[in-house]
Amino acid sequence: IICSFVADSTSTVITFPAGWTSIVSRLPTSYAWKIYYRISDGTEGASITVTTDTAQQAAYRIYRITGHHTTTAPEAAAVDEPTSTVNPNPPSLNPTNWDSENTLWFALCATNVPNPTPAVTAYPTDYTNGVSDTSPGGNGVVLGTARRELAAASDDPGTFTIDTATNWSAATVAIRPAPATGSASLSPSISPS
């Protein structure tokens, strides 16, 4: 299970439940962004509660992934862009614990957009199932996510496009497939209602 969570303040402490492991933690100039994972063992329950120590707007996206390698943790790379642009660019990632396998890759971006309806409007080339999650209330945070399956030792996703130039963070996450039986795949995602 992968959860990406962004909150509208760098002073906010984001806390995940026990049993979840951090793979991305960014604190740029105006928001906090965390990506955690958990290898499901049946004891995690039907839902989780992620908390912030102050009341903030937030956006999140959760994916349940099947067909993954159960003893290899996901790997991630992340960057922050301090200047204002409209093209969040996830970094290249070459996982250290496996080579060229039919890997499930995620490209993600997060930002605090001073726009009443911030949105991701385009996703990296060859990445599908693009989703733009926005905090309720406007003038908050936006989270973009897309994925691809690619048998390669590394990947460097292209850029996202967001509707307002601002500073941003971006990440690439890789999920190793189960040995010899197929590829990791994506189940329907859970998103804010």
Side-chain angles (χ1 to χ4, degrees):
I1 305 169
I2 299 283
C3 180
S4 177
F5 188 100
V6 60
D8 192 15
S9 172
T10 56
S11 62
T12 296
V13 176
I14 299 170
T15 304
F16 274 71
W20 289 77
T21 302
S22 175
I23 54 173
V24 171
S25 180
R26 310 308 286 185
L27 290 171
T29 59
S30 59
Y31 56 94
W33 184 29
K34 307 279 186 178
I35 301 175
Y36 275 67
Y37 81 92
R38 178 179 174 126
I39 296 179
S40 178
D41 61 7
T43 64
E44 59 280 344
S47 64
I48 65 168
T49 300
V50 177
T51 61
T52 58
D53 64 337
T54 59
Q56 297 293 339
Q57 294 188 67
Y60 66 91
R61 173 78 31 186
I62 300 174
Y63 291 100
R64 176 181 171 262
I65 299 158
T66 59
H68 61 86
H69 197 281
T70 59
T71 60
T72 304
E75 294 193 27
V79 295
D80 297 322
E81 173 54 58
T83 60
S84 291
T85 74
V86 295
N87 292 119
N89 188 5
S92 177
L93 175 61
N94 183 353
T96 58
N97 291 313
W98 69 96
D99 196 21
S100 183
E101 298 180 28
N102 197 22
T103 301
L104 177 61
W105 303 90
F106 285 95
L108 306 102
C109 69
T111 189
N112 180 336
V113 180
N115 180 324
T117 55
V120 175
T121 59
Y123 301 87
T125 301
D126 298 322
Y127 276 70
T128 62
N129 303 106
V131 180
S132 177
D133 293 303
T134 304
S135 58
N139 295 316
V141 291
V142 64
L143 176 66
T145 310
R147 46 84 63 179
R148 81 181 295 193
E149 292 177 40
L150 178 67
S154 65
D155 194 35
D156 187 0
T159 61
F160 289 87
T161 301
I162 53 179
D163 62 2
T164 304
T166 188
N167 64 306
W168 46 260
S169 299
T172 305
V173 175
I175 311 292
R176 187 180 188 185
T181 59
S183 62
S185 63
L186 181 67
S187 294
S189 61
I190 303 166
S191 62
S193 57

